[in-house]
PDB file of all heavy atoms in Angstrom:
ATOM      1  N   ARG A1218     -10.164  -2.179  16.452  1.00 98.00           N
ATOM      2  CA  ARG A1218     -11.566  -2.301  16.200  1.00 98.00           C
ATOM      3  C   ARG A1218     -12.151  -3.010  17.374  1.00 98.00           C
ATOM      4  O   ARG A1218     -11.969  -4.176  17.562  1.00 98.00           O
ATOM      5  CB  ARG A1218     -11.824  -3.032  14.881  1.00 98.00           C
ATOM      6  CG  ARG A1218     -11.428  -2.306  13.622  1.00 98.00           C
ATOM      7  CD  ARG A1218     -11.742  -3.127  12.363  1.00 98.00           C
ATOM      8  NE  ARG A1218     -11.040  -4.412  12.303  1.00 98.00           N
ATOM      9  CZ  ARG A1218     -11.509  -5.514  11.787  1.00 98.00           C
ATOM     10  NH1 ARG A1218     -12.764  -5.524  11.294  1.00 98.00           N
ATOM     11  NH2 ARG A1218     -10.816  -6.622  11.752  1.00 98.00           N
ATOM     12  N   LEU A1219     -12.952  -2.295  18.138  1.00 98.00           N
ATOM     13  CA  LEU A1219     -13.638  -2.869  19.277  1.00 98.00           C
ATOM     14  C   LEU A1219     -14.877  -3.636  18.822  1.00 98.00           C
ATOM     15  O   LEU A1219     -15.240  -4.664  19.434  1.00 98.00           O
ATOM     16  CB  LEU A1219     -14.042  -1.768  20.289  1.00 98.00           C
ATOM     17  CG  LEU A1219     -12.959  -0.933  20.875  1.00 98.00           C
ATOM     18  CD1 LEU A1219     -13.573   0.095  21.811  1.00 98.00           C
ATOM     19  CD2 LEU A1219     -11.901  -1.787  21.567  1.00 98.00           C
ATOM     20  N   LYS A1220     -15.530  -3.153  17.809  1.00 98.00           N
ATOM     21  CA  LYS A1220     -16.704  -3.736  17.221  1.00 98.00           C
ATOM     22  C   LYS A1220     -16.773  -3.452  15.753  1.00 98.00           C
ATOM     23  O   LYS A1220     -16.504  -2.353  15.269  1.00 98.00           O
ATOM     24  CB  LYS A1220     -17.984  -3.163  17.890  1.00 98.00           C
ATOM     25  CG  LYS A1220     -19.285  -3.701  17.310  1.00 98.00           C
ATOM     26  CD  LYS A1220     -20.507  -2.979  17.879  1.00 98.00           C
ATOM     27  CE  LYS A1220     -21.787  -3.470  17.342  1.00 98.00           C
ATOM     28  NZ  LYS A1220     -22.992  -2.677  17.776  1.00 98.00           N
ATOM     29  N   ASP A1221     -16.985  -4.491  14.966  1.00 98.00           N
ATOM     30  CA  ASP A1221     -17.183  -4.305  13.548  1.00 98.00           C
ATOM     31  C   ASP A1221     -18.259  -5.311  13.065  1.00 98.00           C
ATOM     32  O   ASP A1221     -17.955  -6.413  12.716  1.00 98.00           O
ATOM     33  CB  ASP A1221     -15.904  -4.500  12.747  1.00 98.00           C
ATOM     34  CG  ASP A1221     -16.010  -4.072  11.297  1.00 98.00           C
ATOM     35  OD1 ASP A1221     -17.152  -3.854  10.872  1.00 98.00           O
ATOM     36  OD2 ASP A1221     -15.000  -3.960  10.617  1.00 98.00           O
ATOM     37  N   THR A1222     -19.455  -4.863  13.139  1.00 98.00           N
ATOM     38  CA  THR A1222     -20.581  -5.741  12.769  1.00 98.00           C
ATOM     39  C   THR A1222     -21.239  -5.210  11.458  1.00 98.00           C
ATOM     40  O   THR A1222     -22.377  -5.518  11.204  1.00 98.00           O
ATOM     41  CB  THR A1222     -21.669  -5.690  13.897  1.00 98.00           C
ATOM     42  OG1 THR A1222     -22.048  -4.291  14.164  1.00 98.00           O
ATOM     43  CG2 THR A1222     -21.065  -6.312  15.172  1.00 98.00           C
ATOM     44  N   ARG A1223     -20.471  -4.473  10.656  1.00 99.00           N
ATOM     45  CA  ARG A1223     -20.955  -4.071   9.395  1.00 99.00           C
ATOM     46  C   ARG A1223     -21.218  -5.319   8.487  1.00 99.00           C
ATOM     47  O   ARG A1223     -20.427  -6.308   8.571  1.00 99.00           O
ATOM     48  CB  ARG A1223     -19.941  -3.127   8.742  1.00 99.00           C
ATOM     49  CG  ARG A1223     -19.853  -1.811   9.477  1.00 99.00           C
ATOM     50  CD  ARG A1223     -18.738  -0.909   8.922  1.00 99.00           C
ATOM     51  NE  ARG A1223     -17.388  -1.526   9.090  1.00 99.00           N
ATOM     52  CZ  ARG A1223     -16.327  -0.999   8.654  1.00 99.00           C
ATOM     53  NH1 ARG A1223     -16.321   0.137   8.014  1.00 99.00           N
ATOM     54  NH2 ARG A1223     -15.143  -1.622   8.841  1.00 99.00           N
ATOM     55  N   LEU A1224     -22.257  -5.305   7.736  1.00 99.00           N
ATOM     56  CA  LEU A1224     -22.631  -6.482   6.944  1.00 99.00           C
ATOM     57  C   LEU A1224     -21.566  -6.814   5.988  1.00 99.00           C
ATOM     58  O   LEU A1224     -21.070  -5.970   5.225  1.00 99.00           O
ATOM     59  CB  LEU A1224     -23.951  -6.174   6.174  1.00 99.00           C
ATOM     60  CG  LEU A1224     -25.215  -6.056   7.116  1.00 99.00           C
ATOM     61  CD1 LEU A1224     -26.325  -5.463   6.260  1.00 99.00           C
ATOM     62  CD2 LEU A1224     -25.572  -7.371   7.729  1.00 99.00           C
ATOM     63  N   LEU A1225     -21.156  -8.077   5.910  1.00 98.00           N
ATOM     64  CA  LEU A1225     -20.093  -8.535   4.997  1.00 98.00           C
ATOM     65  C   LEU A1225     -20.694  -8.696   3.583  1.00 98.00           C
ATOM     66  O   LEU A1225     -21.873  -8.932   3.394  1.00 98.00           O
ATOM     67  CB  LEU A1225     -19.560  -9.912   5.430  1.00 98.00           C
ATOM     68  CG  LEU A1225     -18.816  -9.937   6.792  1.00 98.00           C
ATOM     69  CD1 LEU A1225     -18.615 -11.406   7.208  1.00 98.00           C
ATOM     70  CD2 LEU A1225     -17.518  -9.181   6.697  1.00 98.00           C
ATOM     71  N   PRO A1226     -19.797  -8.488   2.603  1.00 98.00           N
ATOM     72  CA  PRO A1226     -20.292  -8.720   1.210  1.00 98.00           C
ATOM     73  C   PRO A1226     -20.411 -10.196   0.851  1.00 98.00           C
ATOM     74  O   PRO A1226     -19.819 -11.022   1.534  1.00 98.00           O
ATOM     75  CB  PRO A1226     -19.156  -8.048   0.351  1.00 98.00           C
ATOM     76  CG  PRO A1226     -17.948  -8.204   1.202  1.00 98.00           C
ATOM     77  CD  PRO A1226     -18.419  -8.024   2.618  1.00 98.00           C
ATOM     78  N   LYS A1227     -21.213 -10.501  -0.106  1.00 97.00           N
ATOM     79  CA  LYS A1227     -21.357 -11.914  -0.537  1.00 97.00           C
ATOM     80  C   LYS A1227     -19.950 -12.418  -0.985  1.00 97.00           C
ATOM     81  O   LYS A1227     -19.206 -11.742  -1.681  1.00 97.00           O
ATOM     82  CB  LYS A1227     -22.331 -12.003  -1.656  1.00 97.00           C
ATOM     83  CG  LYS A1227     -23.765 -11.631  -1.273  1.00 97.00           C
ATOM     84  CD  LYS A1227     -24.702 -11.752  -2.449  1.00 97.00           C
ATOM     85  CE  LYS A1227     -26.150 -11.340  -2.024  1.00 97.00           C
ATOM     86  NZ  LYS A1227     -27.065 -11.300  -3.203  1.00 97.00           N
ATOM     87  N   GLY A1228     -19.689 -13.665  -0.585  1.00 96.00           N
ATOM     88  CA  GLY A1228     -18.433 -14.257  -1.042  1.00 96.00           C
ATOM     89  C   GLY A1228     -17.271 -14.021  -0.103  1.00 96.00           C
ATOM     90  O   GLY A1228     -16.160 -14.467  -0.417  1.00 96.00           O
ATOM     91  N   TRP A1229     -17.458 -13.235   0.906  1.00 97.00           N
ATOM     92  CA  TRP A1229     -16.354 -12.931   1.843  1.00 97.00           C
ATOM     93  C   TRP A1229     -15.933 -14.245   2.497  1.00 97.00           C
ATOM     94  O   TRP A1229     -16.729 -15.022   2.942  1.00 97.00           O
ATOM     95  CB  TRP A1229     -16.790 -11.931   2.930  1.00 97.00           C
ATOM     96  CG  TRP A1229     -15.665 -11.499   3.823  1.00 97.00           C
ATOM     97  CD1 TRP A1229     -14.830 -10.420   3.612  1.00 97.00           C
ATOM     98  CD2 TRP A1229     -15.179 -12.135   5.041  1.00 97.00           C
ATOM     99  NE1 TRP A1229     -13.896 -10.364   4.635  1.00 97.00           N
ATOM    100  CE2 TRP A1229     -14.091 -11.411   5.481  1.00 97.00           C
ATOM    101  CE3 TRP A1229     -15.586 -13.260   5.713  1.00 97.00           C
ATOM    102  CZ2 TRP A1229     -13.386 -11.781   6.643  1.00 97.00           C
ATOM    103  CZ3 TRP A1229     -14.909 -13.658   6.842  1.00 97.00           C
ATOM    104  CH2 TRP A1229     -13.810 -12.905   7.310  1.00 97.00           C
ATOM    105  N   LEU A1230     -14.622 -14.440   2.584  1.00 97.00           N
ATOM    106  CA  LEU A1230     -14.097 -15.702   3.157  1.00 97.00           C
ATOM    107  C   LEU A1230     -13.083 -15.385   4.274  1.00 97.00           C
ATOM    108  O   LEU A1230     -12.246 -14.498   4.090  1.00 97.00           O
ATOM    109  CB  LEU A1230     -13.364 -16.548   2.062  1.00 97.00           C
ATOM    110  CG  LEU A1230     -14.238 -17.051   0.922  1.00 97.00           C
ATOM    111  CD1 LEU A1230     -13.369 -17.624  -0.160  1.00 97.00           C
ATOM    112  CD2 LEU A1230     -15.184 -18.116   1.434  1.00 97.00           C
ATOM    113  N   PRO A1231     -13.135 -16.146   5.366  1.00 98.00           N
ATOM    114  CA  PRO A1231     -12.085 -15.922   6.410  1.00 98.00           C
ATOM    115  C   PRO A1231     -10.692 -16.271   5.975  1.00 98.00           C
ATOM    116  O   PRO A1231      -9.699 -15.849   6.617  1.00 98.00           O
ATOM    117  CB  PRO A1231     -12.596 -16.866   7.520  1.00 98.00           C
ATOM    118  CG  PRO A1231     -13.458 -17.881   6.858  1.00 98.00           C
ATOM    119  CD  PRO A1231     -14.090 -17.182   5.701  1.00 98.00           C
TER     120      PRO A1231
END
Side-chain angles (χ1 to χ4, degrees):
R1218 293 182 296 145
L1219 302 180
K1220 177 187 180 185
D1221 191 348
T1222 57
R1223 295 172 295 178
L1224 295 166
L1225 296 168
K1227 293 177 182 177
W1229 186 92
L1230 295 171

